[in-house]
Amino acid sequence: MKLSKFLIALGLVAVATPVLAQSALEQVTQGLKFARRSPLLLYSSVAVFFMVVALYSLGYAAYAVYNESFSTAAELSALFGVLTIVSSSITLVVQILFTSKLINRFGVRTINLVFPVTTLFCFLALMISFMLPSAIISTLNRRILLPAIRNPSRILLFDALPDYMQGRARALSLALVLPAAYVFVGFALQALKEFHAPVSYLVAGTVAGVLYLVFSLKTNRAYVEALLATLKERLFL
């Protein structure tokens, strides 16, 4: 279980190294204080936490399919090479031609729900058919829709926060939420390997995926309130 151990180490290193700087500590502390009174920051941070848990659970299950489907390292390398080329090309096309148009057409709140829904669909697909096509769909979902759809919508959601707090909100996510999620999912995957893996990964990941969708919905509702409050503050100033 090298991946789960790596995730634990990644989370611990991420906590131990960059946050040692005093300025980073101050930003994270201020971000935490602001999250107590900002539902948008609070719910979006919790959504990120469950997103990481869901994605790594999904990835673990997909890699189990790959290991069953290909017997040699050369075959796996060829598969990942093709997936990288295809996903990078599609991501570039989507980002250039479709992302902004989709956000303008459907709105940031609707687009914010696309990735949670497609992630849940991937879990369902693997539960129905634990075979190569479902695993490939799951991998492409993460490699294409995460950078092309989810990340732009999250950036726009943060625009509803006050200007002075946007940097602190991102620091909170990078320095605390993501490392905590990496450590948690690393230990969880280590524990679940003894309980009918990879089915246990799919069950745990589906629960995380549902919670990711729930808190994404809460984030959308908080976005409207935060946007109105920020607009009033800017007009007042």
Side-chain angles (χ1 to χ4, degrees), residues 118-133:
T118 58
T119 300
L120 280 177
F121 172 80
C122 291
F123 279 111
L124 179 62
L126 280 170
M127 287 182 176
I128 295 174
S129 175
F130 197 72
M131 298 179 69
L132 189 59

Side-chain angles (χ1 to χ4, degrees), residues 60-72:
Y60 234 54
Y63 291 145
V65 175
Y66 297 145
N67 287 330
E68 292 179 1
S69 303
F70 299 95
S71 57
T72 66

Side-chain angles (χ1 to χ4, degrees), residues 38-44 103-104 106-113 152-162 166 215-231 234:
S38 171
L40 174 59
L41 181 55
L42 176 62
Y43 293 147
S44 64
I103 292 175
N104 290 334
F106 297 104
V108 64
R109 292 191 298 166
T110 300
I111 300 303
N112 185 51
L113 298 178
S153 65
R154 177 170 170 80
I155 291 172
L156 290 175
L157 286 173
F158 271 22
D159 285 343
L161 296 174
Q166 292 180 14
F215 280 96
S216 294
L217 289 167
K218 289 180 176 290
T219 298
N220 283 355
R221 288 194 289 268
Y223 169 75
V224 177
E225 299 174 2
L227 183 61
L228 292 174
T230 300
L231 289 174
R234 290 172 179 173

